[in-house]
Amino acid sequence: MSPFLYSLFTHDCRALHGSNTIIKFADDTTVIGLIKDNDESAYREEVDRLATWCHNNNLLLNTNKTKELVLDFRRKTDLHPPIHINGAAVERVSSFKFLGIHLSQDLTWTTNCSSLVKKAHQRLFFLRTLKKHHLSSGILVNFYRCTIESILTSCVTVWYGNCSASDRKALQKVVKTAQRIAGASLPAIEDIYRRRCHRRAKKVTKDSCHPAHGLFTLMPSGRRYRSLRTKTSRFRNSFFPTAVSLLNSDPSHFTSLQAQ
């Protein structure tokens, strides 16, 4: 079944409670529950309802591939009983891969960065092989951009802002190694991250139907966006506050808005 047909087939599979969200992408389905006052009833009911919906629509949930990740940053945490689907307990993990990104229960990105660096190192072997066969620097750079940089910067706007210094150093070390092999200058991961954040932010501001369009609110002067209030460094370094800051530092963006 194609992703489009799957989306049509599951269009009526929606969250029952406002504290829950069901995310569907291709054939992956994720249930996100916000737990307040240690009341997990709405979340557990949502999982049971999803299992019932799948049974009624001739879909089989693979419990062995189903994982549960608990994010709890309270100083004093309580035990969370495991979720059961069709009588089988769902495995609780400290991290799992979601749409190509490794999510960790502490919301750090070390696991994700380590995975990307490992993949990139494997492809450096092929870059060295091409170098040994005396291919031109231009071809080596193209190979790097297609097979190594594309890995290092996969969904970079999501995770790079909250990477630790050691993670950023490990990522940039791969770039420097490739740079020595190719014999040409290569863009830093930091520069790619900022450029992509800026480009994506401009697309959001131009699309009034985008769910995050309302986060970009112009000040009365029309020359700056209102900064987002952040209480934690994790939120401050995430995409939207960073995007607002990047747009505010780009006068040409507001010039084009006034011209329109």
Side-chain angles (χ1 to χ4, degrees):
M1 183 180 294
S2 69
F4 179 70
L5 289 178
Y6 180 81
S7 298
L8 289 177
F9 186 73
T10 61
H11 76 282
D12 60 333
C13 180
R14 302 173 182 174
L16 179 65
H17 300 277
S19 59
N20 300 325
T21 302
I22 295 181
I23 300 176
K24 294 172 288 185
F25 184 84
D27 60 346
D28 287 333
T29 303
T30 304
V31 178
I32 302 176
L34 176 61
I35 310 300
K36 292 184 177 181
D37 301 324
N38 292 326
D39 184 8
E40 301 182 12
S41 58
Y43 167 62
R44 293 180 178 275
E45 181 183 351
E46 200 73 66
V47 174
D48 292 338
R49 184 171 175 270
L50 175 63
T52 302
W53 184 93
C54 290
H55 175 75
N56 294 338
N57 289 272
N58 300 315
L59 290 176
L60 180 63
L61 280 177
N62 191 336
T63 310
N64 294 328
K65 291 185 178 181
T66 303
K67 310 297 179 185
E68 183 183 31
L69 183 71
V70 177
L71 306 179
D72 192 346
F73 293 98
R74 296 176 300 176
R75 294 181 179 179
K76 185 178 180 181
T77 60
D78 300 318
L79 292 177
H80 301 276
I83 291 291
H84 288 79
I85 296 179
N86 299 327
V90 174
E91 180 186 3
R92 182 167 295 160
V93 295
S94 59
S95 68
F96 77 102
K97 195 173 184 179
F98 178 64
L99 300 182
I101 299 178
H102 290 271
L103 297 177
S104 301
Q105 63 181 6
D106 57 359
L107 292 184
T108 60
W109 298 101
T110 299
T111 301
N112 184 69
C113 290
S114 298
S115 175
L116 297 179
V117 169
K118 182 179 179 180
K119 288 183 180 179
H121 273 298
Q122 293 172 348
R123 285 157 177 77
L124 283 175
F125 167 79
F126 300 105
L127 187 64
R128 292 189 178 96
T129 302
L130 295 176
K131 176 71 171 180
K132 290 179 181 178
H133 286 79
H134 309 291
L135 270 72
S136 67
S137 179
I139 293 178
L140 296 179
V141 170
N142 285 337
F143 181 84
Y144 164 80
R145 298 291 299 272
C146 294
T147 63
I148 300 177
E149 183 182 276
S150 60
I151 292 175
L152 295 177
T153 59
S154 175
C155 300
V156 68
T157 57
V158 174
W159 50 265
Y160 188 82
N162 277 300
C163 276
S164 64
S166 59
D167 290 336
R168 297 189 182 196
K169 185 177 180 180
L171 292 166
Q172 192 58 32
K173 186 177 180 180
V174 177
V175 178
K176 291 181 178 179
T177 301
Q179 194 167 258
R180 288 196 300 269
I181 298 172
S185 178
L186 299 173
I189 303 297
E190 174 80 22
D191 295 336
I192 296 174
Y193 163 71
R194 295 177 68 85
R195 187 165 60 248
R196 291 189 183 179
C197 279
H198 186 269
R199 184 171 64 239
R200 185 173 295 274
K202 291 179 71 174
K203 289 182 179 179
V204 174
T205 59
K206 292 179 180 179
D207 184 3
S208 60
C209 296
H210 195 284
H213 181 78
L215 296 177
F216 296 86
T217 306
L218 281 172
M219 299 286 284
S221 64
R223 291 178 292 183
R224 285 182 62 86
Y225 288 108
R226 192 178 303 277
S227 298
L228 301 179
R229 293 184 178 181
T230 59
K231 294 183 179 180
T232 63
S233 59
R234 183 184 297 111
F235 183 27
R236 189 180 310 115
N237 296 328
S238 63
F239 170 72
F240 289 109
T242 301
V244 170
S245 177
L246 289 173
L247 290 181
N248 285 340
S249 61
D250 179 17
S252 63
H253 174 70
F254 298 98
T255 302
S256 62
L257 286 179
Q258 293 173 357
Q260 293 175 1

